[in-house]
Amino acid sequence: MTTTATWYEQVADLPEVPIWAEHITLTPHWAAAWEKVTTEQVMDFRHLLLRDGDEAELVSYYLVEHSPFWTENEQVVGVDPVWPGPVVYAPSPYAEYGGAGGRRTDFIAEAVDRGLEVTREWGAVALVFSNLTPDVLSRWSAIRPTSMSVLFDVAYFAPVGNSMEDFLATRPGSNVRREFRRQWRRGMDAGLKVRRLHGVEMVEVLDEFAALTVDTSAAHGYNMYGADLFHAVAEVPGSIMLAAEHDGSLAGGFLCLRHGNRLSAWTAGIDYPRLRTLHTYGTLAYEAVSYAVDSGAAIIDMGRSNHLYKQRLGLSGVDLYAACYLAEDDYNIQASLTELHIRLIARNHAGRRP
């Protein structure tokens, strides 16, 4: 068999073939959702279907004028903007995990080579494969060495087991286990009600949720969300909102994604003035594990950021790298990426357990 690489202008044009995707953010459904967003300023997009016999993967490329998610990482560590022009992200930094096309060495080569061709065609300054775990980054670098790899973020996860008791049994110490349960009980006693809203069922709360994510994001330094993102993701099969309500309004929510053996808490929105009295975040974390158990997930992924809470809970952290390929050699961009990498190491690994 021989690898074929075929471009498609939109996901709707893809042939009906089984496409392997380790994470939901690498599926055609997610790619279609990202064709619609406006908060991340997507100027153009194109999808590359890689096939060899019965094996197929989809790599989606988005020409982005401005990515608030990338900018947030620059601003939180105090560096000037890295990119002097538009960038091609594959996929967007908003996708928690990347690596589409990574199962085979020939797929990786095609993904980089074709990606750089379209990067130069679009006049972009760089091609960035977002959020690669260290093993995936190693495969990429061995086939097509990067211009620079930046430690972009850290994601946290843990095995679920068959029950809440199984999950708690692997938490580090009785105090941590008691506090995890206590936060949930206090939230229930304070009157929180948590609903599970699947897919488009969540539309009724999305505007409230979007407002809360703006406040949550701004509290961490820079807003990177908009309602368009959540309306698009609500259409992705496997999306579920854990909506924590109190006195007729949304006190907080986790927008989660169920795919394969994993439940990911992709985005959180919290009403901070009510956080301490309602114990909203702890309640939602407990409810996320509870839903993971009920849905048969083997892994609960609590997402990125909020490092100290997730470390105290004993979740495993995995580094997420941005593999950057410059369209042309540029010392200034290279130096800026190096500085960003150094500062993000300090932020993401601060206080982290070995």
Side-chain angles (χ1 to χ4, degrees), residues 27 48 55 73 91 103 108 113 183 191 215 246 260 267 320 336 350:
T27 64
L48 186 67
E55 292 190 60
N73 276 268
R103 270 200 306 177
I108 292 172
D113 294 347
Q183 288 293 312
D215 291 341
H246 185 264
T267 305
L320 300 174
S336 295

Side-chain angles (χ1 to χ4, degrees), residues 10 14 81 131 135 163 197 200 226 230 233 235 247 258 267-268 273 275 283 291 302-303 349:
Q10 55 187 3
L14 290 171
N131 297 314
D135 59 325
S163 66
L197 304 174
V200 295
F230 309 127
V233 171
E235 298 179 13
D247 286 344
R258 180 73 170 84
T267 305
L275 173 61
T283 298
Y291 179 75
M302 287 293 187
H349 287 177

Side-chain angles (χ1 to χ4, degrees), residues 308-336:
L308 293 179
Y309 172 84
K310 294 166 185 176
Q311 291 166 14
R312 284 196 300 269
L313 195 54
L315 304 181
S316 299
V318 59
D319 291 337
L320 300 174
Y321 288 86
C324 305
Y325 295 86
L326 300 185
E328 306 293 342
D329 290 339
D330 189 305
Y331 173 81
N332 291 327
I333 297 178
Q334 186 79 39
S336 295

Side-chain angles (χ1 to χ4, degrees), residues 95-351:
E96 185 175 355
Y97 294 100
R103 270 200 306 177
R104 300 168 54 107
T105 58
D106 48 342
F107 282 9
I108 292 172
E110 289 284 0
V112 175
D113 294 347
R114 298 298 185 96
L116 280 171
E117 288 175 7
V118 78
T119 296
R120 295 183 178 110
E121 175 190 332
W122 281 335
V125 298
L127 167 65
V128 179
F129 292 92
S130 304
N131 297 314
L132 306 185
T133 57
D135 59 325
V136 177
L137 176 65
S138 179
R139 293 202 298 272
W140 244 258
S141 301
I143 305 305
R144 292 291 186 268
T146 66
S147 302
M148 181 69 195
S149 299
V150 176
L151 177 59
F152 196 64
D153 218 322
V154 181
Y156 294 88
F157 63 93
V160 175
N162 296 316
S163 66
M164 181 63 72
E165 287 67 30
D166 286 349
F167 172 78
L168 289 173
T170 60
R171 298 310 93 216
S174 58
N175 289 340
V176 171
R177 294 191 289 270
R178 280 197 300 269
E179 184 61 20
F180 191 65
R181 286 189 183 276
R182 186 182 296 124
Q183 288 293 312
W184 176 78
R185 285 198 303 268
R186 287 177 174 174
M188 295 296 101
D189 291 344
L192 276 182
K193 306 292 183 185
V194 179
R195 291 195 292 155
R196 299 171 175 179
L197 304 174
H198 296 267
V200 295
E201 291 176 355
M202 71 179 73
V203 169
E204 62 179 281
V205 301
L206 281 185
D207 288 341
E208 280 187 281
F209 179 73
L212 294 182
T213 61
V214 167
D215 291 341
T216 301
S217 184
H220 288 91
Y222 182 83
N223 174 49
M224 53 189 175
Y225 292 114
D228 60 292
L229 302 178
F230 309 127
H231 282 277
V233 171
E235 298 179 13
V236 177
S239 62
I240 175 174
M241 173 74 74
L242 301 178
E245 297 169 321
H246 185 264
D247 286 344
S249 65
L250 191 68
F254 280 4
L255 204 172
C256 301
L257 305 166
R258 180 73 170 84
H259 178 75
N261 69 347
R262 182 180 295 255
L263 177 72
S264 298
W266 174 62
T267 305
I270 303 293
D271 184 350
Y272 276 96
R274 293 189 282 178
L275 173 61
R276 291 186 179 275
T277 57
L278 298 180
H279 307 277
T280 319
Y281 192 91
T283 298
L284 283 167
Y286 186 99
E287 291 285 338
V289 175
S290 179
Y291 179 75
V293 170
D294 291 347
S295 67
I299 301 293
I300 176 69
D301 190 323
M302 287 293 187
R304 299 170 283 190
S305 300
N306 205 0
H307 301 288
L308 293 179
Y309 172 84
K310 294 166 185 176
Q311 291 166 14
R312 284 196 300 269
L313 195 54
L315 304 181
S316 299
V318 59
D319 291 337
L320 300 174
Y321 288 86
C324 305
Y325 295 86
L326 300 185
E328 306 293 342
D329 290 339
D330 189 305
Y331 173 81
N332 291 327
I333 297 178
Q334 186 79 39
S336 295
L337 286 170
T338 300
E339 180 66 17
L340 179 64
H341 176 59
I342 292 169
R343 295 197 185 192
L344 285 174
I345 288 175
R347 182 195 74 165
N348 290 324
H349 287 177

